[in-house]
Amino acid sequence: MTGTSLTGAAPITAPKPSMVLRLLAGRGVFRLAIQAMGLVLVTAWGAHDYGRFATALGLMTWLNFVPSAAEKSALKCLPRLRMTRDAVAALAVRVAVVPVLVVLAAMAVALIVAPDSDAALYLTAAGWSISGGLLMTVSGLHRFNGKSTLDALAFTAGALVVGAVTVGTWFVRWPPLTHLGLLLGGILLILGCSAALLPKKWLRVERIDGHRLWPAFGRTTVLLGMTEVLDVLATSSVFGVLALAGRTVDSGPFYVALLAGSAFCSLLFYQLRVHQPAISARLRGSGAAAGRARAVELLKLVERGALAFLVLVGVGLVIPAARAVLTAEDTTGAYVVLCVFVLVETVLFAVRLYAGFLIENTNSKVLTLTASASIAGLVATPLAAAALVPAMGPVGGFAALVFAIGTRAAVLRRLLRRHHPEL
């Protein structure tokens, strides 16, 4: 967003600890509700239906980050703006709403034409995922507008919806499609109430003045959002490999394990979003070089950690006794191994996430580099999964994710050093 009134913006201070705790409590209870849902539904449906449910959610999770890209872009740009701040906020709302409407329209057609099809199930899962992303964007704009309590209330209400629908499914045995439809209905109600409380000037429907706003904000949003969409899409590809390998039932354990790891990363991700306005202001200008240098150090750590772990896995696959443990199914040892793989993947992902966050908030020129690294990860994940998942199941899926994390870190570090030789 260069060239759009960056001077004269009010100084942005770090959020107060009490506000951060309040926000984390709201998001935390929402994540806990989703975690509990994942465990309860196994007993409600059994392995087959739960596998279909997990596959649908796993394949569509990436859509959560499509509308939330507008929030990420707005929180980076708004602290640097003064004259065009309201116009950019209104633009962020538009950019976030349009893909949600497209997905909901496709879902409605599928439910009318083929209500019992897999397409209807997958598109309903898509509607739930992308609507949650829009709620993140709306909540982020509330935070920036000084109304952080609305963020906490929205996600606390979301937790109540998830809890109520999950309890209903456990007692009544609603099928996956009904369960997802009720979740979507509840989140849309919360979303409507939250959006209605945004400033009216941000909800305006008339033409937004300023011919430079659309291309500048659009480029930033696409490149910022692309990294997260591609990263999650890469993870979703593992569910596709599990299905193609005839291991749809294994999507259940993989999904539950992924929930456990993503719970921590989601809270870290949210912490970064909460602090993003202040960090974005700090990392511009002379602060950008220090941010990039720190990110390069973290990326090197991720790259070496992933390589060391994968070498150990390779050695284990060569040794017959260790290979038997790594490829075992439905045993205590298999679940212990899965937990170890989840822990390693979560730590490496969290460090890489923070490094990428530092880089993205330096300037807009580096966004093509982070997008290129995510493309490399998207290519690496299904290739590694195709090699590992058929024999190792969910454990192989997490090994593929570790390989992709290391690939993204290696590519991004080298691209940064090429464009910034001082690093």
Side-chain angles (χ1 to χ4, degrees), residues 99-114 119-120 122-124 126-127:
V100 177
L101 295 178
V102 171
V103 170
L104 293 180
M107 180 197 71
V109 171
L111 290 174
I112 293 172
V113 175
Y122 288 178
L123 285 170
T124 304

Side-chain angles (χ1 to χ4, degrees), residues 287-311:
R292 284 190 292 268
R294 177 59 176 158
V296 166
E297 294 177 0
L298 294 173
L299 290 172
K300 184 186 294 186
L301 181 64
V302 171
E303 184 181 347
R304 292 177 177 176
L307 179 61
F309 179 74
L310 291 172
V311 168

Side-chain angles (χ1 to χ4, degrees), residues 257 260-262 264-265 341-351 398 405:
S262 66
F264 171 77
C265 292
F341 276 60
V342 171
L343 180 61
V344 172
E345 189 271 343
T346 300
V347 171
L348 292 175
F349 181 86
V351 177
F398 277 96
I405 291 170

Side-chain angles (χ1 to χ4, degrees), residues 340-402:
V340 171
F341 276 60
V342 171
L343 180 61
V344 172
E345 189 271 343
T346 300
V347 171
L348 292 175
F349 181 86
V351 177
R352 191 200 62 81
L353 177 65
Y354 181 59
F357 174 80
L358 291 176
I359 295 168
E360 290 171 345
N361 282 280
T362 54
N363 57 51
S364 295
K365 294 180 180 179
V366 298
L367 299 183
T368 55
L369 307 185
T370 56
S372 298
S374 292
I375 292 173
L378 178 61
V379 174
T381 306
L383 292 178
L388 297 170
V389 162
M392 300 176 68
V395 170
F398 277 96
L401 294 181
V402 170

Side-chain angles (χ1 to χ4, degrees), residues 141-409:
L141 291 173
H142 278 308
R143 292 197 312 272
F144 185 82
N145 199 38
K147 298 182 178 180
S148 59
T149 301
L150 294 177
D151 182 308
L153 289 175
F155 282 93
T156 301
L160 293 175
V161 167
V162 172
V165 173
T166 301
V167 170
T169 297
W170 193 85
F171 279 106
V172 183
R173 295 300 193 266
W174 287 320
L177 180 60
T178 302
H179 180 84
L180 284 170
L182 291 172
L183 287 178
L184 175 59
I187 208 73
L188 288 177
L189 179 61
I190 296 169
L191 181 56
C193 295
S194 184
L197 295 174
L198 287 172
K200 301 302 179 185
K201 54 191 173 184
W202 293 0
L203 300 174
R204 59 189 179 186
V205 295
E206 68 267 16
R207 180 177 178 272
I208 296 176
D209 294 326
H211 66 281
R212 290 184 297 178
L213 288 181
W214 275 102
F217 185 80
R219 178 184 181 277
T220 301
T221 300
V222 169
L223 292 176
L224 277 174
M226 183 183 296
T227 58
E228 289 163 359
V229 170
L230 293 179
D231 288 352
V232 181
L233 188 58
T235 301
S236 296
S237 70
V238 177
F239 288 93
V241 174
L242 283 166
L244 291 174
R247 306 190 66 152
T248 303
V249 173
D250 286 331
S251 292
F254 182 74
Y255 176 71
V256 172
L258 198 62
L259 277 179
S262 66
F264 171 77
C265 292
S266 295
L267 291 178
L268 172 62
F269 179 82
Y270 184 54
Q271 272 272 57
L272 296 178
R273 287 288 178 88
V274 170
H275 289 83
Q276 186 174 357
I279 294 176
S280 176
R282 191 179 74 232
L283 290 179
R284 61 178 175 174
S286 59
R292 284 190 292 268
R294 177 59 176 158
V296 166
E297 294 177 0
L298 294 173
L299 290 172
K300 184 186 294 186
L301 181 64
V302 171
E303 184 181 347
R304 292 177 177 176
L307 179 61
F309 179 74
L310 291 172
V311 168
L312 289 175
V313 172
V315 171
L317 290 174
V318 172
I319 302 173
R323 179 182 176 87
V325 175
L326 290 173
T327 58
E329 298 181 26
D330 297 327
T331 65
T332 301
Y335 289 116
V336 171
V337 170
L338 181 59
C339 289
V340 171
F341 276 60
V342 171
L343 180 61
V344 172
E345 189 271 343
T346 300
V347 171
L348 292 175
F349 181 86
V351 177
R352 191 200 62 81
L353 177 65
Y354 181 59
F357 174 80
L358 291 176
I359 295 168
E360 290 171 345
N361 282 280
T362 54
N363 57 51
S364 295
K365 294 180 180 179
V366 298
L367 299 183
T368 55
L369 307 185
T370 56
S372 298
S374 292
I375 292 173
L378 178 61
V379 174
T381 306
L383 292 178
L388 297 170
V389 162
M392 300 176 68
V395 170
F398 277 96
L401 294 181
V402 170
F403 176 74
I405 291 170
T407 300
R408 284 194 290 266

Side-chain angles (χ1 to χ4, degrees), residues 118-144:
D118 284 343
L121 177 65
Y122 288 178
L123 285 170
T124 304
W128 157 254
S129 181
I130 201 168
S131 297
L134 180 56
L135 183 59
M136 291 181 186
T137 298
V138 172
S139 297
L141 291 173
H142 278 308
R143 292 197 312 272
F144 185 82

